[in-house]
Amino acid sequence: MVHDTIAAISTAVGEGGIAIIRVSGPDAIEGTARIFRSRTDLRDAATHTLHYGHIIDPKTDEQVEEVIVTVMRGPRSFTAEDVVEINAHGGVVAVKKVLDQVLLQDGMRLAEPGEFTKRAFLNGRIDLMQAEAVIDLIRSKSDRAFSVARKQAEGTLSKRIKALRQTVIELLAHIEVNIDYPEHDVEDLTSNYIREQSGSALEEIGKLLKTANEGKILREGIMTAIVGRPNVGKSSLLNMLAQENKAIVTDIPGTTRDVIEEYVTLNHIPLRLLDTAGIRETSDIVERIGVERSHNALEEADLILFVLNNNEPIHEDDRALLEKVKDRQLILIINKSDLESKLEMAEIEALVGEERIVRMSVREEEGLDRLEKAISKLFFEGQLDSGDLTYVSNVRHISLLKRAQQSLLDAIDASNTGIPIDLIQIDVRSAWESLGEILGDEVGDSLIDQIFSQFCLGK
């Protein structure tokens, strides 16, 4: 249990209508009461109530700021501790003045990044999976990603992991009883039970891992490189997808000299778009650096949008680059489809396949729906599941599920080959511990600190 009291600004720094200073811990109410003047003494305030008044400097009795204070007594609060939230006027100076007065009180200190959520976890209000979902909520870049994170924060996925863990612990208990009391062991029955329980758990893990790739994409976005020779419409495509002029567009080849990055959402799918410099041989030193960075972006990309001009014959540089990336996740965009075609389509279809070709006219904003469908088909087999939003999206969770899966497979294999039951117990316990790590039951302090250090200050 944590015994000190922490405070931090929980809203974005800058000008705004309202800013919130959050205080949590055993002295949250007492400490705030010493600097708050109102008709109501906060020490006597009921939980989940609002109180109008002023923050004052207790040394001079001078009013610092006009505020509304919210009181939430533990355990009915976000951290399961006493929490006070001070609603002040937005603005850097006003908020800092209030926070300074709070931190001057005995027992108060500035919160570390993610410490409020960390306390909610340490105090048992949420598990580690739910805590990690909080940061996913903050960082969500699409409605679908937000919905998935919200489900995780509510504990929907945690319930499935807990049920999985219960199946494994029942198997572990059966094995340990037979180890302690071997005279009651019936070898055939025990082997059958190991296969049955492990198989049941493996089936559920398989269901979760089946959607893991989609969940990871929804959480992190698809790193998408827009590539092609100069002046084929790469920057125009970026601007069309972003719905604003992010990249300079001219008729002069080589306008884009660096990699431009932008997040967009297409059909609920978040894309991290990288508009690259046109790939070609050039004597311009600056452009050459841009081309080199384009090649690096190409290597890191999850999806490549390869752009060709419909009204130009395919160039030797295009053939060489297509040959290099044809086995990657690729969609070939034939831009300027409103103009007369000078492309040899039979050659292009032979290189990449007809199903990966999308015709568009970026200038006319035509063909976006076809691009959306092509991306959805490539990564989600045509559509995102519109019902069940219980996706495993966190890389740490996916890794631990795979580890548990392998441990259970090892247990079944060991049972089938007649390995002693006390050795099978090791595999089953490993699966149980891996599932516990997802929920935070089997993790060390260093991992917990690492996870919460990724949070913003005040969350």
Side-chain angles (χ1 to χ4, degrees), residues 254-448:
T255 303
T256 304
R257 299 297 187 93
D258 203 349
V259 177
I260 299 173
E261 183 174 331
E262 178 69 14
Y263 273 98
V264 303
T265 302
L266 288 185
N267 193 25
H268 303 296
I269 304 170
L271 303 180
R272 180 184 167 193
L273 289 177
L274 305 174
D275 177 24
T276 64
I279 296 176
R280 65 171 178 172
E281 292 295 328
T282 177
S283 58
D284 186 302
I285 296 174
V286 177
E287 188 180 356
R288 194 185 306 156
I289 294 171
V291 172
E292 184 179 335
R293 291 183 179 180
S294 296
H295 281 290
N296 293 337
L298 200 61
E299 293 298 322
E300 296 174 5
D302 301 313
L303 170 64
I304 298 168
L305 299 181
F306 196 116
V307 185
L308 289 177
N309 255 348
N310 185 48
N311 65 331
E312 291 181 5
I314 189 168
H315 194 275
E316 197 57 44
D317 290 344
D318 295 324
R319 292 190 183 92
L321 191 55
L322 274 173
E323 189 64 35
K324 181 180 177 181
V325 300
K326 67 179 183 180
D327 295 327
R328 302 273 301 279
Q329 297 283 57
L330 170 76
I331 294 175
L332 183 68
I333 295 174
I334 298 179
N335 188 28
K336 305 180 183 179
S337 60
D338 54 317
L339 301 178
E340 181 184 354
S341 179
K342 295 182 181 179
L343 290 171
E344 181 54 59
M345 290 307 300
E347 178 187 2
I348 295 171
E349 290 173 5
L351 281 170
V352 300
E354 184 180 358
E355 70 282 353
R356 294 199 288 177
I357 297 173
V358 174
R359 291 183 174 274
M360 297 184 69
S361 173
V362 174
R363 187 179 65 178
E364 302 295 330
E365 296 192 359
E366 192 271 330
L368 182 59
D369 56 336
R370 291 193 289 272
L371 179 60
E372 290 177 346
K373 289 177 182 177
I375 294 173
S376 181
K377 183 177 181 181
L378 201 57
F379 287 91
F380 298 95
E381 298 181 354
Q383 63 179 11
L384 280 167
D385 185 357
S386 59
D388 185 12
L389 291 173
T390 315
Y391 288 94
V392 181
S393 57
N394 187 299
V395 175
R396 188 182 75 86
H397 304 161
I398 294 168
S399 175
L400 289 167
L401 278 171
K402 287 180 177 178
R403 191 196 300 173
Q405 182 184 54
Q406 187 57 54
S407 295
L408 291 171
L409 288 170
D410 291 343
I412 291 175
D413 186 56
S415 177
N416 289 335
T417 53
I419 289 176
I421 196 169
D422 54 338
L423 295 179
I424 297 175
Q425 178 206 34
I426 296 172
D427 291 324
V428 177
R429 180 171 290 277
S430 174
W432 183 72
E433 290 173 349
S434 294
L435 295 171
E437 280 190 56
I438 296 175
L439 299 170
D441 295 344
E442 303 284 337
V443 294
D445 291 341
S446 59
L447 178 60
I448 290 172

Side-chain angles (χ1 to χ4, degrees), residues 30-308:
E30 173 65 34
T32 307
R34 290 196 292 267
I35 59 170
F36 181 62
R37 292 292 178 269
S38 176
R39 293 180 179 179
T40 304
D41 189 328
L42 289 186
R43 301 172 186 87
D44 301 324
T47 187
H48 293 77
T49 53
L50 298 172
H51 305 276
Y52 168 79
H54 293 84
I55 295 296
I56 58 105
D57 183 342
K59 292 180 180 178
T60 63
D61 212 38
E62 178 186 351
Q63 289 186 4
V64 174
E65 171 66 318
E66 183 182 26
V67 298
I68 292 178
V69 172
T70 307
V71 175
M72 291 168 280
R73 297 183 182 273
R76 294 176 58 204
S77 71
F78 178 70
T79 62
E81 302 172 334
D82 286 347
V83 170
V84 170
E85 290 187 350
I86 304 170
N87 295 258
H89 292 102
V92 176
V93 176
V95 178
K96 185 178 183 302
K97 282 181 174 290
V98 174
L99 181 62
D100 286 346
Q101 290 301 325
V102 173
L103 294 176
L104 284 172
Q105 304 310 302
D106 291 340
M108 300 283 192
R109 67 170 174 82
L110 187 65
E112 298 173 359
E115 192 168 2
F116 292 99
T117 309
K118 183 178 180 180
R119 288 194 174 197
F121 164 66
L122 293 175
N123 291 329
R125 198 187 73 80
I126 58 176
D127 59 45
L128 191 56
M129 177 174 272
Q130 290 174 285
E132 289 174 285
V134 172
I135 196 168
D136 291 342
L137 279 170
I138 296 169
R139 294 177 176 174
S140 297
K141 294 177 176 65
S142 69
D143 291 343
R144 177 69 56 159
F146 180 84
S147 298
V148 170
R150 181 175 55 80
K151 282 285 187 181
Q152 289 186 9
E154 291 172 353
T156 304
L157 192 54
S158 295
K159 290 177 183 176
R160 292 181 67 172
I161 300 297
K162 287 173 183 175
L164 251 176
R165 210 168 180 231
Q166 182 63 32
T167 300
V168 176
I169 197 64
E170 288 173 4
L171 173 58
L172 188 59
H174 181 89
I175 291 172
E176 289 182 349
V177 166
N178 287 333
I179 291 172
D180 293 338
Y181 303 99
E183 65 274 12
H184 298 296
D185 183 27
V186 179
E187 188 173 336
D188 288 342
L189 290 177
T190 298
S191 296
N192 288 335
Y193 190 69
I194 290 171
R195 287 190 288 270
E196 181 184 321
Q197 288 290 93
S198 296
S200 176
L202 283 168
E203 184 179 352
E204 178 64 11
I205 291 174
K207 290 178 183 177
L208 291 171
L209 288 176
K210 186 178 180 181
T211 61
N213 185 54
E214 289 91 337
K216 184 173 178 289
I217 288 171
L218 289 172
R219 182 177 189 260
E220 301 176 6
I222 303 171
M223 185 179 287
T224 306
I226 305 174
V227 300
R229 288 187 300 110
N231 259 34
V232 294
K234 300 186 301 299
S235 296
S236 297
L237 177 62
L238 174 78
N239 291 341
M240 175 188 176
L241 295 175
Q243 293 296 301
E244 59 179 304
N245 293 325
K246 285 286 183 179
I248 298 171
V249 177
T250 73
D251 293 330
I252 303 170
T255 303
T256 304
R257 299 297 187 93
D258 203 349
V259 177
I260 299 173
E261 183 174 331
E262 178 69 14
Y263 273 98
V264 303
T265 302
L266 288 185
N267 193 25
H268 303 296
I269 304 170
L271 303 180
R272 180 184 167 193
L273 289 177
L274 305 174
D275 177 24
T276 64
I279 296 176
R280 65 171 178 172
E281 292 295 328
T282 177
S283 58
D284 186 302
I285 296 174
V286 177
E287 188 180 356
R288 194 185 306 156
I289 294 171
V291 172
E292 184 179 335
R293 291 183 179 180
S294 296
H295 281 290
N296 293 337
L298 200 61
E299 293 298 322
E300 296 174 5
D302 301 313
L303 170 64
I304 298 168
L305 299 181
F306 196 116
V307 185
L308 289 177

